[in-house]
Amino acid sequence: MDTRQRHTRRGVPGQKPAGRSPARRTDQRLEAVLARLDATERRQRLLEGTVSGLAREQGASIAGSCGRCERSYLLVRSDALYCPACGYRRAL
């Protein structure tokens, strides 16, 4: 037998068999994550529009996030700011 490596049906001796490369798997995972991110952003925009519409129907609007608990946006009415998550209220 000569000193050159022989190619066989299973590939080159000493190398991993052909298949999905780590880079290809990473690319596929990245594509899946980006698709999920796009879907999540779409749902978030729909929810933001829905919440704003509901607040408007109730005579309120949406302000920034609650500085006390940071779990909800503040609802703004003519007389006060209100956090529905923690109950914080501040007169205007």
Side-chain angles (χ1 to χ4, degrees), residues 70-90:
E70 296 186 6
R71 292 182 297 156
S72 179
Y73 288 115
L74 294 169
L75 297 175
V76 181
R77 288 205 163 178
S78 60
D79 60 342
L81 293 171
Y82 173 70
C83 176
C86 69
Y88 171 75
R89 182 181 297 274
R90 188 177 105 202

Side-chain angles (χ1 to χ4, degrees), residues 2-77:
D2 64 39
T3 58
R4 291 180 290 163
Q5 290 183 336
R6 287 185 344 171
H7 290 274
T8 65
R9 290 174 128 168
R10 293 185 186 147
V12 178
Q15 290 185 353
K16 292 182 180 181
R20 289 187 178 176
S21 70
R24 182 170 171 87
R25 281 192 304 263
T26 300
D27 288 347
Q28 290 172 339
R29 289 179 63 199
L30 179 60
E31 288 175 15
V33 168
L34 290 174
R36 286 178 30 216
L37 177 61
D38 288 341
T40 300
E41 287 176 340
R42 249 188 328 275
R43 284 192 305 268
Q44 182 182 2
R45 282 190 301 274
L46 288 171
L47 286 170
E48 286 175 348
T50 301
V51 170
S52 292
L54 288 170
R56 192 171 39 254
E57 284 185 14
Q58 297 299 312
S61 60
I62 306 295
S65 64
C66 176
R68 185 172 171 198
C69 72
E70 296 186 6
R71 292 182 297 156
S72 179
Y73 288 115
L74 294 169
L75 297 175
V76 181
R77 288 205 163 178

